[in-house]
Amino acid sequence: AVPTRGEPAPAGVRRQVTAGQLRERGNALFQAGDHAAALAAYTRALTLCDAGPERAVLHRNRAACYLKLEDYAKAEADASKAIEADGRDMKALFRRSQALQKLGRLDQAVSDLQRCVSLEPKNKAFQEALRALGSSMHEKMKTMSCTDSKVEQMFQILLDPEEKDADKKQKAAQNLIVLAREEAGAEKIFQSDGVRLLTQLLDTAKADLMLAALRTLVGLCSGHRSRTMAILAELGAPRLSAVLGVEHEQVSLAACNLLHVMFDSLKEGLQKDFRGKEDAVVLDSSRDLKLLIKHLLELLALEGASAHGRDNALNLLIKVVPRKSPKETNNSMSLWVIDQGLKKILEVGSTVCGTPGSLPVTENSRMSASVLLSKLYDDLKCDAERENFHHLCEDYVRSWFEGHELAGKLRAIQTVSCLLQGPSDAGNRVLELEGIMDSVLSLCASVSESHQLVAVEALIHAADKAKRASFITANGVSLLKEIYKHSERDSIRIRALVGLCKLGSAGGTDFSMKQFAEGSTMKLAKQCRKWLCNEAIDAGTRRWAVEGLAYLTFDADVKEEFVEDKAAMQAMFHLAKSEDRSVLYAVASTLVNCTNSYDHEEPDPQMLELAKYAKQHIPEQHPKDKPDFVKRRVRKLLAAGVVSALACMVKSENPALTNSCRELISRVFLALVEEAEDRGGVVAQGGGKALIPLSLEGTEVGQTKAAQALAKITITSNPEMAFPGERIYEVVRPLVSLLHLQRTGLENFEGLMALTNLAGISERLRQKILKEKAVPMIEGYMFEEHELIRLAATECMCNMAMSKEVQELFLAEGSDRLKLMVLYSGEEDEKLRRAASGTLAMLTALHPPICKRIPQVTVHWLEILQALLLSPSVELQHRGAVVVMNMMAAEREVAEQLMASEMLEILSVLAKDTDKP
């Protein structure tokens, strides 16, 4: 394998390395373009070095590494340390000026450059840099003075009650928003008493002015903690919370966006803050975070808040409270929210629409509450924390169930439904409280439609959970059948049907585990499709028909009938694009079933024999789940417009688009691009664009499936057409993730093939691949035993070799990269030889020092080159001739070695071959 560099020798190999040797090694690595390894070498040298001048040089060298790695704050700090030791160190002064320039501290950068020029007046580079920086500062000053008057003018227009010109006001608002997006503009607005004026705009209660103020504040707060804290102190959390709760949907959404930006800035800290020599005083923002979250929790239970405002508050809490990854150890925010606000979240989850005094909610509110509860529960780390969560939920359900008569019992049962859809462990616990299940069963027979709806839905959600399924199968099936047959209300019948579907699909895809009598599954599915297509029924009720299909489509006969019914498919896709986002999971589940994109392992034949012998149950595949049937179903879904529906589902900024829902959508996409001829259509309908966000967040399985779908598209389509503009650069990271060792061989192979295509397009793409640290992984796969993976890695390296940084790697001391390429050019596998000799042809043409190195890496170099020239393949002969020509031109000594062999005779023969121009 390619040896790693810049690391300490392993235990047992006790070599005493000096600071000087490490510095030399760092210099070599820096020259070879491996800046991260060079940084590691200099850092280790610093630990071994006490001498002041030597340490100053190491700090100066580290500053150069940090500049290359774009970590400008650290580059400035290291250069400053070198300058402290020697104030006349021009290299350190120049590097610090570069870092300060990138950090936006232009006045300090100029001061350093002026010092460089005074120390070495004839240095053209210093003079040119100073001139460029001077003109950029002049531009900035001009912009700033011009901006001053503009800001005042814009506020005057917006706040003038006499100004009736709507276009003028709109233009002023737009200019203000655009100005706030630039750091200099945002700072100018902030310094010009802008926050007080923006507060006045908010207090006008006019939607257009409020939107302008909120969007301008977003620019002021983005990535700037100290400004965010000052703005929050001026506006106050109660005012922001009140704006979030307004009836106007767009204003509420803009306030939600502002609060999200504020949360990010308060959490992330001083990314863009301009600091002097010393860091600014560290600001403690945890108090502000808690204050904002406290007001969001209060908004949830506030009767005067709008339904949209309540949804936005839930969405914000979902995004900002739980930890982003289990690697973060601190879950104190979730614990605080559970203690302070769990009951307020349950207030939303337990709302029964249409009852006196119920909170205004949308069709998505209860689903959002379930998702938030689920995220909070998943964020808990130990049994004691989970036990506290259970107790709070049980106390809340009891408080409604006991002593509030029928209305209280309904709230309690609605809470159970909300918990079963979210943290189902907590749902199961409250379901076992005395009297709850009996109330559910008795209310299923209620004469009131709204009461019956609450009870039937609770029964359906309970049927989902294996813990209760046997009890419900015994008690609920006959009850649900009664309701389904005799209820006069479609809204009730459809829910009862879903309950029956859930209980009927307990065998999953196992054909031999049918719950219902032959044909009854088909009847239920037919009824679901009929309801789904009936536009007279409201969308909230038709959603339950999709829920039913999500369970019934485990049966291959149902899948086949469903894809034949184009009207039903399109009705489902229409629902997926609607406002009601709680249908997303059911739609995605139905599509996963229809495309067979769930995980299915082939059973071990020996285990099957043993199971037969022991008379154990053996899962059977339905004959209509064979690959040919699946392929046909995929084609029919594509023709019905499945891609645009999926793309619309992915766009949804809604809690219903959970990570598990994203994973299902990724699975469907991967099934849709399985056949190369379908990929163009998927891209044309927006599939390529939708796959990028799916590949960057969600479950690991979901991200991998989406990345693999992107790879398949990149392999067979023109990537510049499939991912136009900047989008092509977003594809690189997902493709590199397919190279990780825990991925399957097929995923590795497809990732390499796709990266090969991208690397052949442009230097900017190759730089992006380098930045994602893909090259060491590509090299690793060049040693792979599997010949196709080894070939794909070598082809990928061939295209990457067009980059200067990669060419330098082939000359790095102690590396076997060049040797491997020469040896692969002599392998038996013709495709591998073609890729390796192509890389050599490219390297010798673009980087002549490599020509001199080839004879040093292996004694077989001459016979390998001769074998290429004598090969029956014209492509190999051509590559061989190019390598020899480049070596002849590069170095006299190498040319003499070539001529001393039989090379001249071989070339003379080939030169006369008129068939091979």
Side-chain angles (χ1 to χ4, degrees):
V2 178
T4 52
R5 304 174 307 286
E7 293 175 6
V13 187
R14 290 283 174 201
R15 284 183 303 147
Q16 274 302 317
V17 192
T18 66
Q21 287 170 325
L22 283 165
R23 192 178 107 196
E24 289 305 318
R25 187 189 300 176
N27 293 350
L29 290 164
F30 189 88
Q31 290 300 325
D34 198 340
H35 305 121
L39 177 66
Y42 295 140
T43 305
R44 191 161 164 243
L46 273 169
T47 63
L48 302 173
C49 171
D50 297 323
E54 181 70 19
R55 287 183 71 80
V57 172
L58 288 166
H59 279 300
R60 186 177 74 199
N61 290 2
R62 279 209 323 181
C65 293
Y66 282 127
L67 282 171
K68 290 288 187 187
L69 296 167
E70 297 178 13
D71 191 339
Y72 303 116
K74 284 184 179 167
E76 186 229 343
D78 261 324
S80 296
K81 282 177 184 166
I83 294 161
E84 277 167 29
D86 175 7
R88 299 174 66 82
D89 185 335
M90 280 179 302
K91 282 187 181 175
L93 282 162
F94 187 63
R95 281 168 197 168
R96 187 168 73 177
S97 80
Q98 288 178 294
L100 288 165
Q101 201 173 337
K102 292 289 186 185
L103 290 167
R105 285 146 61 185
L106 302 187
D107 50 342
Q108 290 168 282
V110 165
S111 155
D112 278 350
L113 270 176
Q114 283 169 339
R115 181 114 176 89
C116 288
V117 172
S118 69
L119 288 167
E120 202 173 296
K122 290 183 181 173
N123 188 314
K124 290 258 174 63
F126 292 162
Q127 290 169 359
E128 190 50 48
L130 188 59
R131 198 175 301 118
L133 189 53
S135 64
S136 114
M137 272 194 79
H138 179 66
E139 278 300 308
K140 192 178 176 185
M141 294 305 290
K142 206 163 125 190
T143 312
M144 288 301 267
S145 60
C146 180
T147 307
D148 277 11
S149 55
K150 270 189 183 169
V151 170
E152 282 173 39
Q153 213 178 339
M154 286 184 268
F155 276 120
Q156 268 173 0
I157 294 167
L158 290 169
L159 288 167
D160 182 3
E162 303 299 313
E163 181 61 73
K164 297 285 184 274
D165 188 339
D167 285 348
K168 198 172 175 184
K169 279 198 164 192
Q170 192 181 357
K171 201 168 182 186
Q174 198 53 46
N175 288 343
L176 203 58
I177 295 163
V178 170
L179 187 64
R181 286 181 192 149
E182 293 292 322
E183 177 49 45
E187 189 58 28
K188 192 70 243 165
I189 295 170
F190 184 71
Q191 298 295 349
S192 312
D193 197 19
V195 181
R196 185 181 62 80
L197 296 167
L198 289 167
T199 309
Q200 286 180 25
L201 286 179
L202 275 180
D203 292 343
T204 59
K206 291 179 180 168
D208 53 343
L209 296 181
M210 290 175 82
L211 283 169
L214 290 164
R215 288 167 182 164
T216 306
L217 285 164
V218 166
L220 266 60
C221 294
S222 283
H224 204 302
R225 181 160 70 158
S226 54
R227 235 177 8 225
T228 302
M229 289 175 79
I231 289 167
L232 184 55
E234 175 99 20
L235 287 174
R239 182 188 265 111
L240 286 168
S241 172
V243 176
L244 184 68
V246 298
E247 282 296 337
H248 195 287
E249 209 174 320
Q250 272 187 303
V251 172
S252 176
L253 197 60
C256 176
N257 188 25
L258 170 61
L259 282 163
H260 195 192
V261 166
M262 287 180 131
F263 275 117
D264 283 349
S265 299
L266 292 172
K267 276 185 167 182
E268 297 304 322
L270 305 146
Q271 290 164 319
K272 286 191 197 166
D273 284 13
F274 298 127
R275 290 164 283 173
K277 290 271 167 111
E278 291 75 39
D279 278 1
V281 176
V282 176
L283 305 162
D284 178 24
S285 54
S286 59
R287 196 171 59 82
D288 286 330
L289 279 168
K290 281 188 174 173
L291 183 68
L292 280 176
I293 289 172
K294 179 171 168 278
H295 281 280
L296 287 179
L297 291 167
E298 282 171 6
L299 178 76
L300 294 182
L302 196 69
E303 282 183 26
S306 68
H308 296 294
R310 196 166 275 107
D311 277 6
N312 287 331
L314 285 167
N315 292 1
L316 264 173
L317 290 165
I318 288 166
K319 285 172 185 167
V320 302
V321 175
R323 291 172 293 167
K324 290 278 184 286
S325 87
K327 289 175 189 167
E328 294 173 37
T329 52
N330 184 2
N331 70 340
S332 59
M333 195 57 88
S334 289
L335 295 175
W336 186 80
V337 168
I338 289 166
D339 283 338
Q340 299 290 315
L342 185 67
K343 291 189 176 173
K344 293 184 177 78
I345 301 165
L346 289 171
E347 283 288 307
V348 182
S350 67
T351 298
V352 180
C353 296
T355 56
S358 63
L359 293 170
V361 290
T362 69
E363 57 271 22
N364 295 313
S365 305
R366 287 208 303 273
M367 185 68 189
S368 299
S370 292
V371 173
L372 176 55
L373 290 165
S374 181
K375 295 230 174 212
L376 290 171
Y377 188 76
D378 291 344
D379 208 30
L380 302 177
K381 294 195 289 191
C382 64
D383 289 345
E385 291 173 2
R386 282 184 275 273
E387 204 52 47
N388 175 50
F389 188 96
H390 289 310
H391 282 314
L392 289 168
C393 292
E394 287 167 13
D395 290 347
Y396 182 82
V397 170
R398 275 200 204 94
S399 72
W400 278 112
F401 194 71
E402 294 162 6
H404 276 89
E405 298 182 353
L406 183 59
K409 286 187 170 50
L410 284 170
R411 289 288 294 263
I413 292 168
Q414 192 77 295
T415 310
V416 174
S417 278
C418 175
L419 287 166
L420 284 167
Q421 283 177 282
S424 55
D425 290 351
N428 276 320
R429 279 275 289 265
V430 290
L431 202 54
E432 283 162 16
L433 293 175
E434 192 180 337
I436 296 280
M437 199 66 215
D438 297 333
S439 293
V440 171
L441 292 173
S442 64
L443 278 168
C444 279
S446 167
V447 288
S448 157
E449 181 177 4
S450 60
H451 299 174
Q452 207 177 4
L453 280 178
V454 170
V456 173
E457 282 186 24
L459 191 64
I460 293 166
H461 295 311
D464 230 1
K465 313 299 168 225
K467 210 170 177 183
R468 306 292 305 178
S470 53
F471 171 83
I472 290 162
T473 309
N475 296 279
V477 169
S478 52
L479 179 64
L480 288 169
K481 279 185 178 168
E482 279 297 304
I483 295 169
Y484 177 58
K485 283 178 188 165
H486 300 116
S487 175
E488 289 167 17
R489 304 184 188 103
D490 275 349
S491 59
I492 301 290
R493 291 186 67 214
I494 205 164
R495 286 163 170 81
L497 175 84
V498 173
L500 290 169
C501 295
K502 285 191 175 190
L503 296 168
S505 65
T509 53
D510 180 358
F511 177 48
S512 57
M513 282 278 284
K514 290 281 201 173
Q515 291 279 333
F516 293 151
E518 194 64 48
S520 55
T521 307
M522 300 295 285
K523 277 185 200 159
L524 290 174
K526 192 173 180 185
Q527 184 60 57
C528 276
R529 295 203 314 274
K530 191 171 147 193
W531 272 324
L532 180 58
C533 295
N534 184 351
E535 289 187 12
I537 301 174
D538 68 286
T541 302
R542 282 161 62 214
R543 166 174 81 81
W544 285 93
V546 185
E547 292 271 356
L549 287 168
Y551 288 91
L552 293 170
T553 47
F554 280 129
D555 184 314
D557 288 315
V558 174
K559 300 179 204 186
E560 285 295 315
E561 279 208 353
F562 179 65
V563 297
E564 291 300 334
D565 187 343
K566 195 167 183 181
M569 284 193 286
Q570 288 178 333
M572 182 173 88
F573 298 156
H574 187 68
L575 268 182
K577 296 174 185 178
S578 72
E579 284 293 302
D580 183 358
R581 292 309 193 173
S582 48
V583 76
L584 295 183
Y585 194 84
V587 172
S589 301
T590 306
L591 292 171
V592 164
N593 291 341
C594 288
T595 55
N596 283 34
S597 47
Y598 38 73
D599 291 325
H600 34 78
E601 288 177 23
E602 291 300 319
D604 181 352
Q606 285 182 310
M607 295 307 288
L608 280 179
E609 289 305 315
L610 279 170
K612 282 180 192 167
Y613 178 72
K615 294 188 177 159
Q616 288 288 323
H617 169 70
I618 300 162
E620 291 175 31
Q621 189 189 34
H622 194 292
K624 288 182 182 171
D625 273 335
K626 297 267 164 49
D628 285 349
F629 282 92
V630 176
K631 202 183 290 185
R632 271 205 298 278
R633 288 203 291 267
V634 165
R635 288 273 158 81
K636 283 179 179 155
L637 285 166
L638 284 167
V642 67
V643 177
S644 61
L646 289 171
C648 195
M649 286 160 76
V650 174
K651 274 186 214 157
S652 159
E653 265 294 307
N654 191 284
L657 188 69
T658 57
N659 284 345
S660 45
C661 185
R662 296 172 84 92
E663 182 186 314
L664 295 179
I665 296 171
S666 298
R667 286 174 181 276
V668 177
F669 265 126
L670 185 55
L672 296 177
V673 298
E674 190 56 46
E675 299 298 316
E677 59 266 33
D678 297 332
R679 292 170 195 167
V682 170
V683 170
Q685 292 175 54
K689 185 180 176 184
L691 278 164
I692 294 171
L694 289 172
S695 66
L696 294 171
E697 65 175 292
T699 65
E700 195 174 343
V701 173
Q703 286 179 301
T704 306
K705 302 270 181 203
Q708 199 182 350
L710 283 172
K712 285 180 188 289
I713 290 169
T714 311
I715 291 165
T716 52
S717 316
N718 174 354
E720 291 172 288
M721 301 279 280
F723 309 106
E726 291 297 300
R727 203 174 297 154
I728 194 167
Y729 302 100
E730 294 174 45
V731 177
V732 173
R733 182 172 296 169
L735 295 180
V736 172
S737 75
L738 294 175
L739 305 189
H740 293 147
L741 289 172
Q742 65 269 40
R743 303 282 175 261
T744 64
L746 178 63
E747 288 161 359
N748 298 156
F749 174 68
E750 291 183 331
L752 288 163
M753 295 260 288
L755 286 169
T756 304
N757 272 4
L758 291 185
I761 291 172
S762 72
E763 180 56 27
R764 192 177 159 201
L765 271 167
R766 289 190 286 277
Q767 287 299 324
K768 177 74 175 157
I769 295 168
L770 274 163
K771 203 170 180 182
E772 292 294 338
K773 300 185 170 57
V775 171
M777 291 189 270
I778 297 166
E779 283 179 347
Y781 287 114
M782 287 172 64
F783 295 93
E784 178 67 45
E785 282 180 33
H786 195 293
E787 59 197 39
L788 284 175
I789 295 179
R790 188 170 64 223
L791 170 65
T794 310
E795 287 177 342
C796 191
M797 188 55 80
C798 179
N799 282 354
M800 287 300 294
M802 286 187 265
S803 270
K804 189 100 178 101
E805 286 93 328
V806 178
Q807 294 157 21
E808 295 287 356
L809 291 175
F810 281 88
L811 284 174
E813 280 303 320
S815 150
D816 285 337
R817 295 181 181 91
L818 189 58
K819 180 178 181 178
L820 186 69
M821 279 299 174
V822 177
L823 292 175
Y824 275 180
S825 302
E827 282 280 316
E828 286 178 18
D829 177 349
E830 189 181 316
K831 284 182 179 171
L832 182 63
R833 283 178 82 188
R834 208 160 54 206
S837 54
T839 312
L840 283 182
M842 189 110 60
L843 287 169
T844 52
L846 297 171
H847 205 57
I850 284 176
C851 299
K852 189 178 177 182
R853 184 69 70 84
I854 288 176
Q856 298 164 14
V857 293
T858 170
V859 292
H860 304 293
W861 69 280
L862 256 175
E863 59 191 82
I864 289 170
L865 287 179
Q866 289 172 0
L868 284 173
L869 289 167
L870 294 168
S871 159
S873 155
V874 182
E875 288 192 42
L876 288 177
Q877 285 183 308
H878 181 211
R879 284 160 167 74
V882 171
V883 175
V884 174
M885 180 176 75
N886 293 335
M887 289 174 75
M888 287 292 297
E891 186 80 29
R892 186 182 179 88
E893 194 185 320
V894 177
E896 284 172 350
Q897 284 176 278
L898 285 164
M899 287 302 103
S901 67
E902 294 90 68
M903 195 60 79
L904 185 59
E905 294 165 48
I906 297 169
L907 290 169
S908 303
V909 173
L910 287 176
K912 292 173 187 158
D913 196 337
T914 51
D915 294 342
K916 299 173 184 174

